[in-house]
Structures are given as structure tokens and as C-alpha cells.
Amino acid sequence: IISLVDNRVIENVENINLDPLLKGETLSAIQKERQFENSRIPEMDECKKCPFCKHHAVNEPVENDKVIEKNTESLQKHERVMQVWESYEDEKKKKRNENIKKPMHPFTKKVMSRMPRRPVLSSHILQCHCAQSHCIQEGSNNGSNCPIECFNKETLQRYAFEDGRCTCP
């Protein structure tokens, strides 16, 4: 029964349409099997809470490491191209009426006719593990893989059990 409920929760969370800028990702089977890891909790406080279910069982998948690397590389290249463009613009301002040669793109080696656009960056993925959180025993952590250990930091007490399930977020 618990697995049926968990699968139903996953379906409902994947089908929620909240903010059009918030996009739910369909996870691969490998990503769904990954367990919550404390070392992969996002650094930004705004990202530590799932925007769909409001749980605090959010991780950044390992795929984000490559996304961050790719985005950083794109931004560095763009910065280099912008330096070339800005030096051209400065030169143009200094020599008002003279015909100044347009700059060469540092990577493509083509003549730049306008200011370069900002690169399109890849999105980060945040994965909520609430569906994998199983709080099995009332009053005990034995066999539990709950990321917050069913503990309410505000009341300093364990979350209550209702209908055979823990009420922790």
C-alpha cells in the first residue's frame, strides 16, 4: 500500500502546474533510484525546499555538476567576447568620425557586426526525495531513511504518527 501511495504522490507532483517558469522534470529510472544525500543539499536557502510539495528533502543530482561546468564555460567565453566588443566600442567613441574596423570574434574568427548576445544557460535540476522517505516505526529511526529523521526543529519533538504514517514534511 505504501508503494502505491508513493507512486500516486509522484504522479501528482509531476502533474502540478504552478508557476509557468517552474518546470517539473521527468526523471530517469536511475535518477528516481538515487537516495537523499546530505552532501548534495543545495547551498541556496531558496532551493532547499521543494517548490511543489514544500518538503525539505531536496538534492541537486550529479548531472548538475556538468551543467554548472558548461554554464561557467559559456559565461567565461561570453565575457571574453564582450571584452573585445567593449574595446571596439571604446575605440569608436575616441575616434568619432573615423571609420573603425569591426572586431573579430575571438573564437569563430568572424567579423562581429553587433554586440554579442548573452549565452543561453542550461537549467539546474532539483530533486525532491519525499516519495522515497519512509518513516516506518513510530518513535524510532530504525529502518528509516527520512532526511530530517522525523524531527521538528521548531518544537524539538518527533512528528506524530497518524493512520500508520509519519506526518513529517
Side-chain angles (χ1 to χ4, degrees):
I1 291 177
I2 291 175
S3 66
L4 291 173
V5 171
D6 289 343
N7 289 336
R8 187 71 173 169
V9 167
I10 290 170
E11 285 176 23
N12 288 342
V13 168
E14 286 178 349
N15 294 328
I16 291 175
N17 290 325
L18 299 172
D19 184 340
L21 297 176
L22 269 179
K23 295 180 184 175
E25 290 281 330
T26 303
L27 301 175
S28 69
I30 294 170
Q31 288 174 321
K32 286 181 182 179
E33 289 175 10
R34 288 190 188 131
Q35 296 296 313
F36 180 83
E37 291 180 43
N38 283 322
S39 64
R40 304 233 27 113
I41 295 173
E43 290 180 20
M44 292 175 57
D45 288 336
E46 298 84 13
C47 297
K48 291 182 181 181
K49 189 175 186 180
C50 178
F52 298 101
C53 66
K54 310 297 185 221
H55 290 145
H56 291 276
V58 176
N59 268 169
E60 287 190 67
V62 294
E63 289 83 4
N64 277 359
D65 296 343
K66 290 198 184 211
V67 168
I68 291 168
E69 185 179 310
K70 182 182 169 198
N71 286 347
T72 302
E73 183 180 321
S74 295
L75 288 171
Q76 287 172 345
K77 282 184 176 180
H78 177 71
E79 190 175 316
R80 174 68 183 116
V81 173
M82 283 304 295
Q83 287 172 349
V84 170
W85 182 258
E86 287 169 359
S87 66
Y88 162 73
E89 288 289 320
D90 290 343
E91 190 70 25
K92 205 164 92 173
K93 284 179 187 175
K94 286 178 187 174
K95 300 178 180 179
R96 284 193 187 153
N97 294 328
E98 293 182 35
N99 192 9
I100 308 246
K101 201 173 177 182
K102 297 216 180 215
M104 289 286 239
H105 193 285
F107 302 108
T108 64
K109 303 298 182 201
K110 293 181 181 177
V111 175
M112 297 168 63
S113 59
R114 61 186 163 152
M115 185 173 93
R117 292 184 181 159
R118 201 165 156 69
V120 176
L121 303 177
S122 300
S123 299
H124 289 236
I125 298 172
L126 296 176
Q127 181 180 2
C128 182
H129 291 275
C130 68
Q132 297 170 337
S133 177
H134 299 289
C135 316
I136 327 179
Q137 295 183 355
E138 187 172 355
S140 171
N141 285 333
N142 289 337
S144 173
N145 62 356
C146 178
I148 61 169
E149 297 175 343
C150 308
F151 187 74
N152 186 335
K153 291 180 181 175
E154 292 173 9
T155 64
L156 302 177
Q157 294 182 2
R158 291 182 59 79
Y159 284 96
F161 251 68
E162 292 177 9
D163 299 324
R165 298 252 323 164
C166 184
T167 58
C168 73

